[in-house]
Amino acid sequence: MSESSALQWLRAPKLAEDALPEDSRAVACRRCGRTVQVSLSPMRPPSFLRVEDQVECPEVQERWTGKSEGGLLLMMCGALEQSLDAEWETAEPEGAARREAAPVSPVRPRPSPAPAASGPDRWDDGSDDDQEETGEGGRLNVLLAPAPGSRKKLIRGALGVGVLGIVFLGGVLLPLREIRLLIQAPPGSGSSSSQQEAQSAAPLPPPRRILLEAASAPQDVARSPSSAFIAPRQPAPALEATLARSSGTAAIPPAPDAEPKLRVPALVAIAGGSFAMGGDDESEQPSHQVSVRPFSLGKHPVTIGEWKQCVAAASCADIAAGADDRPVTNLSYDDTQAYLAWLSKATGKAFRLPTEAEWEYAARGGQRTRYWWGDRMRPGMASCKGCNGTGDAETDQPPKIGSVQANPYGLFDMGGGVGQWVADNWHKNYRGAPADGSAWLEEGSYARVIRSGSWKNGAADARAGSRDRYDGRIRHPTLGFRVALSP
């Protein structure tokens, strides 16, 4: 705090207690040797009388500059206070004697100012009642009398408290009283005493009897609004059953909702055997002999109608669109596993995808030619691009199942139609392939084998030995599958 700001603070208007009578005394400071005027007031401790003396005090200056502990502005320094205490000790006997000698004059109370005249209509009878009241106890009455503004505030506060009390009584206590009366009152307490006696004297009829009377009573009879029993409304089947039991006739039970029949893909049993697996392409080499065990294979690829049942069971993705008799497409390998898991749980049989060897063995139908009917494409034998002289390849969906002839094993669309996922991982050729017809898997590989070609592929992809690959995690618009089952 600077010296100028300290002076401004010290010269601020005095408080109420500063207006009381005070005395001053010249005291010699033990530290600086200056004679300083000290203010002695009955309402506060001794302090510097003049601001200039306080500013020039060394102890005060040390506190301003931060050389001493603390940062507060002292009312009086410590050395000056010690000097004052010493002078008081020596001057106390002299002061006591002077007080005994000098007579004490009573302090006259200050007369209260007369209120200003508010107007010519102010009541004034010329009497001096007000002067008489301010004689002995008048000053106390004046101090205790509230001002007109305070009186208005008190009246408004009292009115507000009264209004809140009325609101509380009307909004809280009365509803609670009504609720308590409703809880304590028995049903039908609003009726007269004669009705209560009649109800207590006559027992209530059973509910079934009331139902029968209500069913047989004419519609134009008005019911009493104060009846002791109101029959609960029952659904129509329950009312019919009650009436049937009373009449002795058997009620016709409602027909239960028929559960949808599970559509399991049709299967064809394939006898086991051996065949030469391989074809013309480099990925189909070398040709090797494979033995296949008996198994069952889906007669058609899985259809949209069969897929929808898995969707309804919340086990498959809702991605199928089209007629129920068309093969489901736009599937990934992971989608086929979800369907097979749901079908196995629903039927209790371990459905799976066919292995690559099982699929080619079934597609050849016991023949060793490129197609099961020969080495050349013939119209009406496969649904592939340019194979039938139609524009099927330009459509977004494959032809419906059974559009072409079945092979010797009774299987449809084993060349063309939709590309079909099998269980094997992709390998670039048959070197090291198993000879027992089992699935050839590779740990960590996502590439899966695709068989059959599709309605958008050419005749070469519809060969029995043709093979392709795709990422098993990704869906494709031309890919579907068919199910297999071991005995």
Side-chain angles (χ1 to χ4, degrees):
M1 179 183 291
S2 62
E3 181 177 352
S4 60
S5 59
L7 292 175
Q8 292 178 2
W9 179 80
L10 293 170
R11 291 170 180 173
K14 295 182 178 182
L15 300 176
E17 60 268 16
D18 294 340
L20 297 176
E22 61 181 17
D23 193 7
S24 63
R25 186 183 185 91
V27 181
C29 181
R30 294 185 179 183
R31 178 176 179 179
C32 60
R34 296 182 303 122
T35 301
V36 180
Q37 291 293 332
V38 177
S39 173
L40 304 175
S41 174
M43 299 300 294
R44 60 185 179 186
S47 61
F48 289 100
L49 179 64
R50 294 181 300 176
V51 177
E52 290 79 5
D53 295 339
Q54 184 175 6
V55 173
E56 294 176 0
C57 178
E59 185 173 347
V60 174
Q61 292 178 0
E62 289 178 1
R63 286 184 174 267
W64 282 348
T65 58
K67 295 181 180 180
S68 178
E69 296 181 357
L72 299 176
L73 188 62
L74 295 177
M75 298 297 294
M76 187 171 66
C77 64
L80 188 61
E81 186 176 359
Q82 294 176 1
S83 301
L84 180 63
D85 292 341
E87 292 187 8
W88 276 355
E89 291 177 358
T90 57
E92 185 175 2
E94 298 177 0
R98 185 169 58 254
R99 284 195 299 272
E100 291 177 358
V104 179
S105 59
V107 180
R108 298 180 62 185
R110 296 180 183 180
S112 58
S118 58
D121 55 349
R122 184 175 181 270
W123 177 266
D124 188 5
D125 55 357
S127 62
D128 54 351
D129 296 340
D130 296 338
Q131 286 77 2
E132 294 178 0
E133 291 181 359
T134 56
E136 298 180 357
R139 182 176 181 83
L140 181 61
N141 295 335
V142 170
L143 293 176
L144 295 179
S150 302
R151 190 176 304 169
K152 292 181 179 179
K153 291 181 180 179
L154 291 176
I155 294 174
R156 292 176 181 176
L159 291 176
V161 172
V163 171
L164 290 178
I166 294 173
V167 172
F168 178 76
L169 292 175
V172 178
L173 297 181
L174 292 180
L176 290 177
R177 179 176 177 274
E178 294 179 359
I179 293 173
R180 185 179 62 183
L181 294 177
L182 289 175
I183 294 175
Q184 295 177 356
S189 59
S191 60
S192 61
S193 59
S194 60
Q195 291 179 352
Q196 293 179 358
E197 294 175 359
Q199 291 175 8
S200 60
L204 296 177
R208 187 169 68 179
R209 177 182 173 187
I210 293 178
L211 286 174
L212 295 177
E213 292 177 355
S216 59
Q219 297 294 331
D220 55 348
V221 178
R223 300 184 60 182
S224 174
S226 60
S227 58
F229 179 82
I230 299 177
R233 297 181 62 184
Q234 295 186 3
L239 182 57
E240 293 177 359
T242 304
L243 296 176
R245 285 195 301 268
S246 62
S247 59
T249 59
I252 301 176
D257 296 335
E259 296 182 359
K261 185 179 180 180
L262 181 63
R263 299 178 61 174
V264 180
L267 299 176
V268 175
I270 308 297
S274 299
F275 76 108
M277 184 176 180
D280 303 333
D281 193 76
E282 183 179 356
S283 65
E284 303 164 12
Q285 298 293 327
S287 179
H288 57 289
Q289 199 72 17
V290 178
S291 298
V292 177
R293 297 179 180 180
F295 68 102
S296 296
L297 189 63
K299 187 176 183 179
H300 307 279
V302 175
T303 64
I304 293 177
E306 294 164 348
W307 181 267
K308 285 181 179 179
Q309 285 195 320
C310 181
V311 174
S315 299
C316 294
D318 188 7
I319 55 176
D324 290 352
D325 58 352
R326 293 180 181 269
V328 62
T329 56
N330 197 28
L331 302 180
S332 65
Y333 176 86
D334 296 336
D335 291 330
T336 66
Q337 297 305 301
Y339 177 85
L340 293 170
W342 166 78
L343 185 62
S344 300
K345 183 178 180 181
T347 60
K349 300 178 181 180
F351 284 92
R352 58 179 175 84
L353 289 176
T355 66
E356 187 175 13
E358 289 175 340
W359 193 97
E360 184 171 337
Y361 176 78
R364 292 186 176 276
Q367 307 299 320
R368 303 189 60 172
T369 54
R370 300 178 68 187
Y371 308 98
W372 63 263
W373 60 85
D375 290 329
R376 294 180 179 274
M377 176 59 65
R378 289 164 49 184
M381 305 303 291
S383 298
C384 51
K385 186 177 182 180
C387 298
N388 298 313
T390 61
D392 292 342
E394 305 300 328
T395 62
D396 294 334
Q397 288 187 338
K400 66 179 182 178
I401 58 174
S403 299
V404 295
Q405 295 185 25
N407 73 354
Y409 288 163
L411 302 173
F412 291 87
D413 299 312
M414 294 298 287
V418 292
Q420 300 171 29
W421 294 98
V422 295
D424 299 50
N425 286 109
W426 170 259
H427 298 82
K428 61 181 181 179
N429 52 46
Y430 285 143
R431 292 185 179 89
D436 59 354
S438 59
W440 192 9
L441 303 177
E442 182 177 349
E443 186 71 23
S445 174
Y446 296 106
R448 296 284 176 172
V449 177
I450 302 296
R451 284 291 191 143
S452 180
S454 73
W455 81 100
K456 289 184 175 291
N457 298 115
D461 294 324
R463 294 178 296 108
S466 175
R467 58 197 300 259
D468 204 346
R469 66 186 183 276
Y470 202 67
D471 191 323
R473 300 167 297 178
I474 304 175
R475 295 170 179 153
H476 194 274
T478 63
L479 298 184
F481 72 108
R482 67 177 71 215
V483 301
L485 184 65
S486 299

